[in-house]
Amino acid sequence: MNKWMYTAVLLLLAAFVATGCGGGNKDNDKAASSPAASEAPAGDAKAITINAKNFEFDQQEIKVKKGDTISITLKNTQGLHTIKINGYDKVIKANKPVTFTADQAGTFEFICDTMCGSGHADMIGKLIVE
């Protein structure tokens, strides 16, 4: 009996870990069928889209000029991810653009802010404000 319980617990744990990053994304499915009006950048904001899949962003480096207004949209093409921009205290969720002024010069790391599996720590990029 203990062997069966041990096996069941291991299978449940493996399923939980596997779905952390590779799971479906209900928000992404809805957005693909009917884009929200809020996806359009505000005013003259520079629109930036970052695509995330298991353990990587399609852009590891984004360069903007100090004073630029930017609108960042995250698209999850595989798994569930969010982006946190350290130094700007911004968290970007899938299909919910965040618009702000890049008013601090420097290099700011952005990371996946949702634990998504074994390669989570590899999801790193840089926002460079010149």
Side-chain angles (χ1 to χ4, degrees), residues 76-94:
N76 284 328
T77 59
Q78 183 183 44
L80 302 172
H81 310 280
T82 56
I83 294 174
K84 179 179 180 184
I85 304 173
N86 295 323
Y88 272 95
D89 297 322
K90 301 291 180 191
V91 175
I92 303 157
K93 297 179 181 179

Side-chain angles (χ1 to χ4, degrees), residues 30-93:
K30 289 178 189 171
S33 63
S34 60
S38 65
E39 286 188 35
D44 293 328
K46 179 178 181 178
I48 299 166
T49 300
I50 300 173
N51 293 299
K53 64 179 185 176
N54 287 348
F55 317 129
E56 68 180 74
F57 296 118
D58 70 336
Q59 298 182 63
Q60 284 84 37
E61 190 173 282
I62 298 167
K63 290 185 180 179
V64 298
K65 295 186 190 284
K66 184 177 177 183
D68 282 354
T69 299
I70 58 176
S71 180
I72 301 176
T73 302
L74 172 66
K75 300 285 185 185
N76 284 328
T77 59
Q78 183 183 44
L80 302 172
H81 310 280
T82 56
I83 294 174
K84 179 179 180 184
I85 304 173
N86 295 323
Y88 272 95
D89 297 322
K90 301 291 180 191
V91 175
I92 303 157
K93 297 179 181 179

Side-chain angles (χ1 to χ4, degrees), residues 90-103:
K90 301 291 180 191
V91 175
I92 303 157
K93 297 179 181 179
N95 302 309
K96 297 185 181 185
V98 172
T99 303
F100 63 97
T101 301
D103 58 358

Side-chain angles (χ1 to χ4, degrees), residues 61 116 124:
E61 190 173 282
C116 59
I124 300 172

Side-chain angles (χ1 to χ4, degrees), residues 13-14 23 25 28 30 35 60 88 91 104 113 120 124 130:
L13 182 60
N25 183 352
N28 194 31
K30 289 178 189 171
Q60 284 84 37
Y88 272 95
V91 175
Q104 304 173 62
D113 198 39
H120 173 73
I124 300 172
E130 300 174 324

